[in-house]
Amino acid sequence: MGLLNRKSSIKLYRKNHATTVATRSPISHCPLEKCPRIDTAQVAAKVESFKKWTIGTFKNSKQQLLEHMGKIDKTVDPEFEAQCEVLKDIHRRYGHVVAAAKNFSQVLSQMAEAEKKFSESFYQLSLKEEQIKAQCTTTSETMRGVGEQATSLDACLKYFISSMETVYNQTITDTLHTIYNTESARIEYDVDRNDISAAANPPQGQQPKTLPAGTAEKCEERKLKYEKLKNDAKIKMRLLEENRISVVATQLEKLQSALAAYYSGNAKLLEASVRELSILQSPQPSFIPTM
């Protein structure tokens, strides 16, 4: 009798345990239809986009390499390319001016600080040396004036540097950005143009290749894009030259006046130069139209 009761208890325990496990099973709380699904169409679109980008990048790099080796022809506009090289060289030279002006300003600022400390040291000495107080005071005042003039010239330099940085980092750079975009568009156009030419004129003994549909239309679109960007770049270079010369000439005249006043010891003229430069607006890139 006791054996039967024990077996019945074991069966009941197993049944209850199985029910508990089934209840706690994560499957019952996470139905299959609620699990996240992968959007295969989106993945396929991304893969296709990456494939096109990879192929395009390879073709553009190959085009540039073959051009450099002289094994393939490219679209050439000698006048336009010469203008671009001149502007790139001017941009580099403005960078040198900005770097040199900053270095000069740093040295001048340090010198002005040293002159002021020199002046202060003579003033402190005059408080204790009664016999040479007049000489110490005169020297102190002279050095203080020289230090103030150095500070004024440094202020002029900072206005000049601000203007040159705007020309270097904004106005010329904006035009160069359009030039680089034009060069990229030219390479893309030449890739399609040379593909069409190679397909139509295969090596001797080979059959002409059939290109994908729409290749000619795409080539024409890239040609139009290249021509438009080139025209935009030409307009920007012309406007840039006209306005750059005017702006920089004005800044240079004011800087020359400040330098002449500083090295001649004309404190009043130097102060006037500082005021004039502070009034001048730094050249803005707004005279270059957005295209």
Side-chain angles (χ1 to χ4, degrees):
M1 192 68 162
L3 182 60
L4 291 174
N5 291 336
R6 196 176 298 113
K7 289 182 177 180
S8 298
S9 299
I10 292 173
K11 288 181 179 180
L12 181 61
Y13 170 78
R14 288 177 177 176
K15 181 179 180 181
N16 292 337
H17 180 70
T19 304
T20 303
V21 171
T23 304
R24 293 179 180 177
S25 174
I27 298 177
S28 63
H29 294 284
C30 181
L32 185 60
E33 60 271 12
K34 292 184 179 180
C35 293
R37 296 179 179 179
I38 299 175
D39 189 342
T40 55
Q42 186 178 6
V43 172
K46 289 183 177 180
V47 171
E48 185 64 24
S49 176
F50 179 74
K51 179 181 177 181
K52 289 181 179 179
W53 176 84
T54 303
I55 294 173
T57 302
F58 171 75
K59 286 185 175 183
N60 291 348
S61 300
K62 181 181 177 181
Q63 174 74 24
Q64 289 178 285
L65 178 62
L66 293 176
E67 287 177 0
H68 182 71
M69 297 173 65
K71 293 185 176 182
I72 197 170
D73 68 318
K74 69 173 188 176
T75 302
V76 179
D77 187 334
E79 182 181 357
F80 174 70
E81 292 180 6
Q83 292 174 349
C84 293
E85 289 303 316
V86 169
L87 183 59
K88 291 175 183 178
D89 183 55
I90 289 175
H91 184 246
R92 286 191 292 269
R93 293 173 189 267
Y94 269 98
H96 296 159
V97 170
V98 169
K102 285 183 176 180
N103 185 54
F104 183 28
S105 176
Q106 183 179 9
V107 172
L108 193 61
S109 179
Q110 292 173 348
M111 187 172 68
E113 187 64 25
E115 289 167 344
K116 290 176 182 178
K117 289 181 178 179
F118 197 21
S119 170
E120 180 63 20
S121 68
F122 276 111
Y123 170 73
Q124 294 296 333
L125 181 62
S126 70
L127 299 177
K128 296 295 182 181
E129 290 284 9
E130 290 293 333
Q131 294 180 344
I132 56 173
K133 182 175 182 178
Q135 292 90 332
C136 288
T137 301
T138 301
T139 304
S140 175
E141 291 177 351
T142 300
M143 293 307 302
R144 179 174 56 81
V146 171
E148 289 175 352
Q149 290 183 31
T151 301
S152 297
L153 179 59
D154 188 40
C156 292
L157 270 174
K158 283 181 168 57
Y159 288 123
F160 176 76
I161 290 170
S162 176
S163 300
M164 294 303 100
E165 282 186 322
T166 302
V167 171
Y168 175 70
N169 292 322
Q170 296 183 41
T171 54
I172 299 180
T173 301
D174 177 75
T175 303
L176 287 177
H177 182 68
T178 304
I179 289 173
Y180 295 141
N181 286 341
T182 304
E183 178 62 15
S184 297
R186 195 275 305 165
I187 292 172
E188 291 177 350
Y189 163 59
D190 278 346
V191 167
D192 286 351
R193 182 176 60 81
N194 286 317
D195 282 349
I196 293 173
S197 177
N201 302 284
Q204 188 175 3
Q206 296 184 12
Q207 295 294 326
K209 295 181 180 179
T210 302
L211 294 174
T215 299
E217 289 77 5
K218 186 178 69 171
C219 179
E220 185 62 25
E221 288 177 3
R222 289 184 169 176
K223 179 182 179 181
L224 293 175
K225 177 183 177 182
Y226 162 63
E227 293 292 344
K228 182 181 182 304
L229 282 171
K230 183 170 69 171
N231 185 60
D232 291 348
K234 288 180 177 180
I235 293 173
K236 284 190 174 186
M237 283 192 287
R238 177 174 56 80
L239 294 175
L240 174 64
E241 182 176 5
E242 293 173 357
N243 291 275
R244 183 186 75 246
I245 297 302
S246 174
V247 168
V248 175
T250 302
Q251 293 290 332
L252 286 173
E253 288 174 2
K254 300 304 179 184
L255 179 63
Q256 289 166 9
S257 297
L259 289 169
Y262 173 75
Y263 286 109
S264 65
N266 192 332
K268 291 184 178 180
L269 180 59
L270 185 55
E271 290 176 4
S273 296
V274 173
R275 287 194 299 270
E276 289 178 3
L277 276 169
S278 65
I279 294 172
L280 283 177
Q281 297 270 332
S282 294
Q284 299 298 320
S286 57
F287 59 76
I288 304 297
T290 301
M291 297 178 179

